[in-house]
Amino acid sequence: MFERLREDVSSVFHRDPAARNTFEVLTCYPGLHALLIHRLSHGLWKAGFKWLARFISSFARWFTGIEIHPGAQIGRRFFIDHGLGVVIGETTEIGDDVTLYQGVTLGGTSWNKGKRHPTLGDGVVVGAGAKVLGPFTVEAGAKVGSNAVVTKPVPAGATVVGIPGRIIPPRAPSTETDPQHARRKAMAEKIGFDAYGITEDMPDPVARAMGGILDHLHAVDDRIEVMCKGLREMGVKNCDNALPELRDEDFEAVKEDANRNAQEAG
C-alpha cells in the first residue's frame, strides 16, 4: 500500500511543476485524494458492498469535486491535475501512467448493461474539458486535446482534436533546420499566414492542411518562374505583369486564429 502511495506522490512531482513537497501533495491535491478514496470504494465494490462503495464515492465527489464510479478500474501512477469536474464512469478501464485534466468526462453513450465507457491505454493524456464517450479504446500514448469530443477508437500515439474529434496520426516533428520547414515558413510569411502558432505535439488539423497548401503554392511558384524565364528568352513579356496584391487585411482572421491556437497550446 505504501509503495503505491509513493508511486502516486512521485507521479505528481513528475507531471506538475507546481508541486513543491510531499506534505503539500498529500494535503492539497484533490486528484490524489480522489484516487486514494477510489481504491477503498473499488475494493468494497468488488467485495459486494455496492451501497457502501457508492456512498464513499459520493463523499469523494463532495470532498474533491471529482466523480469516480467505484466500479471503474484504474492502473498505477494515475494523475488528475486540478480535477474539478472530472467524471469517470462505471465500466471505464484506465491503464498505467494516465493523466487527466479538469473537466474531463469518460462517459457512456448507451443505457444498456455491459461495457459502456472507454478504455484508456498506458500513458494516455486527456486535456481539460475533453469528453471521451463510448465503449472503445484510446490506445497507449495517445493524446486527446482540450475540449475535444471523442466517440471512436484512437490509435496508439495519435492525437485527437476538435468537435467531433479528428484523429491526427503521429509524425516526426519538423525542425528549424528542416528545408521543408524553411520553405513553408517563407511562403507563410509571403501570404501572411502563420502555420506554426501551435506546438508540434498538439497539432491543429487546419494548420496542417494550410501547411500542405503552402507546400503546393511554393512548388507552383517554382514552376511558374521556370516557365516565365523561358518565355522571356522567347520575347514574351506577359510574365512581367504584376500578380494580384495580397492585402494584410484579407488575412487578419487567419492570423487571429493562429495566434489563438498558439496561446491555447502554450
Side-chain angles (χ1 to χ4, degrees), residues 70-139:
Q73 302 179 44
I74 298 178
R76 303 173 77 98
R77 297 175 296 279
F78 178 56
F79 178 53
I80 304 176
D81 197 5
H82 301 293
L84 188 65
V86 168
V87 177
I88 300 176
E90 176 185 4
T91 59
T92 301
E93 300 174 49
I94 298 176
D96 298 334
D97 303 300
V98 171
T99 302
L100 307 183
Y101 289 87
Q102 67 272 17
V104 168
T105 298
L106 305 181
T109 56
S110 170
W111 291 348
N112 298 327
K113 298 289 185 180
K115 178 69 170 171
R116 308 184 306 280
H117 303 92
T119 296
L120 306 186
D122 296 345
V124 168
V125 177
V126 184
K131 316 300 177 188
V132 185
L133 308 173
F136 55 85
T137 300
V138 180
E139 300 287 352

Side-chain angles (χ1 to χ4, degrees), residues 6-255:
R6 281 195 295 269
E7 276 189 351
D8 296 331
V9 173
S10 296
S11 70
V12 174
F13 285 114
H14 291 157
R15 285 176 266 182
D16 185 3
R20 295 182 298 176
N21 55 66
T22 300
F23 181 75
E24 180 182 73
V25 170
L26 289 173
T27 56
C28 300
Y29 275 69
L32 178 61
H33 301 157
L35 176 60
L36 297 178
I37 297 173
H38 170 72
R39 288 190 183 142
L40 172 60
S41 65
H42 183 64
L44 293 170
W45 182 268
K46 292 196 299 182
F49 300 99
K50 307 292 188 181
W51 178 87
L52 183 58
R54 289 300 301 271
F55 181 80
I56 292 174
S57 69
S58 296
F59 168 78
R61 178 179 60 182
W62 170 81
F63 180 62
T64 66
I66 298 169
E67 180 175 346
I68 307 177
H69 193 284
Q73 302 179 44
I74 298 178
R76 303 173 77 98
R77 297 175 296 279
F78 178 56
F79 178 53
I80 304 176
D81 197 5
H82 301 293
L84 188 65
V86 168
V87 177
I88 300 176
E90 176 185 4
T91 59
T92 301
E93 300 174 49
I94 298 176
D96 298 334
D97 303 300
V98 171
T99 302
L100 307 183
Y101 289 87
Q102 67 272 17
V104 168
T105 298
L106 305 181
T109 56
S110 170
W111 291 348
N112 298 327
K113 298 289 185 180
K115 178 69 170 171
R116 308 184 306 280
H117 303 92
T119 296
L120 306 186
D122 296 345
V124 168
V125 177
V126 184
K131 316 300 177 188
V132 185
L133 308 173
F136 55 85
T137 300
V138 180
E139 300 287 352
K143 296 179 181 178
V144 178
S146 297
N147 297 315
V149 178
V150 184
T151 58
K152 59 184 179 180
V154 180
T159 297
V160 183
V161 298
I163 304 174
R166 292 165 290 187
I167 298 175
I168 302 173
R171 68 173 184 179
S174 60
T175 65
E176 295 296 331
T177 58
D178 182 4
Q180 191 76 343
H181 177 94
R183 291 174 57 170
R184 282 187 179 182
K185 187 174 181 180
M187 179 58 69
E189 291 175 351
K190 181 176 180 180
I191 70 170
F193 172 73
D194 182 9
Y196 302 94
I198 54 174
T199 59
E200 287 291 344
D201 61 341
M202 192 59 73
D204 186 298
V206 176
R208 277 198 175 180
M210 288 299 298
I213 293 173
L214 296 180
D215 292 342
H216 183 78
L217 288 175
H218 196 284
V220 170
D221 264 10
D222 289 345
R223 290 191 181 185
I224 291 176
E225 186 60 34
V226 172
M227 293 171 59
C228 284
K229 183 178 180 181
L231 290 172
R232 288 192 191 98
E233 293 175 353
M234 297 171 60
V236 178
K237 299 182 179 180
N238 285 350
C239 284
D240 295 330
N241 295 338
L243 294 174
E245 181 184 359
L246 294 174
R247 300 178 302 172
D248 289 341
E249 54 267 28
D250 293 336
F251 294 92
E252 284 302 321
V254 178
K255 290 179 180 178

